Amino acid sequence: MFRFHKTLDIVTLFHKASSPASLRAATILKQASANATAAATEDQASDHSPQTIPHRIDFELDITEQPPTGDQLKTILEYVGKDKVSSIIQGAKSENEALKKYRENAESFKYPVVCPPYLHSISCLASPDGSLTYLI
């Protein structure tokens, strides 16, 4: 029987190498991607429960240092909602203001932002103290 192989979902990290929070997000996602595809064997001496009981699905990780396009940013802002626009664009209070600020200065975008494949919604953001907040 002929079957099509399912392509891996793509998780995109909008990354800034100079941001400690972004570096942590990249590390977490790389580990999650590796754990999702790793297979443990019975003879391994260490605890291999992450490999035998995966909590994540297989995915392809796309780490980009390019800022999001206007359409990508609009989708991100729609997902987070009005109350959290300032967590994506520094100093913005509305979606329209965020888009305007971003067009004027792409550096107003707050890194890291992780977009999983479904609806390209956000799974984690940097909070002001540098920790990660998980939204899924």
Side-chain angles (χ1 to χ4, degrees):
M1 175 185 247
F2 180 75
R3 283 177 46 183
F4 287 104
H5 293 283
K6 181 181 181 253
T7 58
L8 292 179
D9 291 329
I10 298 173
V11 174
T12 302
L13 169 63
F14 292 101
H15 174 66
K16 188 166 194 165
S18 62
S19 164
S22 191
L23 292 172
R24 283 193 302 277
T27 300
I28 289 168
L29 288 168
K30 286 177 186 177
Q31 289 172 344
S33 177
N35 286 343
T37 58
T41 60
E42 293 280 334
D43 60 349
Q44 288 178 322
S46 63
D47 177 22
H48 55 274
S49 56
Q51 291 89 2
T52 56
I53 308 171
H55 297 284
R56 303 193 190 320
I57 58 170
D58 290 344
F59 63 90
E60 180 180 330
L61 180 59
D62 175 29
I63 298 177
T64 180
E65 291 193 31
Q66 296 295 316
T69 65
D71 287 340
Q72 288 172 322
L73 179 61
K74 187 172 171 92
T75 301
I76 291 168
L77 293 172
E78 287 171 357
Y79 180 78
V80 298
K82 298 175 194 173
D83 296 338
K84 300 203 187 234
V85 167
S86 64
S87 68
I88 304 296
I89 300 295
Q90 189 169 347
K93 293 178 176 50
S94 69
E95 185 180 318
N96 288 335
E97 184 181 3
L99 292 169
K100 182 180 176 191
K101 283 181 177 279
Y102 183 72
R103 279 192 295 271
E104 292 171 358
N105 180 10
E107 291 297 312
S108 61
F109 183 78
K110 292 185 178 180
Y111 294 90
V113 173
V114 180
C115 297
Y118 58 89
L119 302 178
H120 258 97
S121 58
I122 297 180
S123 64
C124 72
L125 303 168
S127 62
D129 65 357
S131 64
L132 296 175
T133 304
Y134 291 90
L135 301 177
I136 62 169

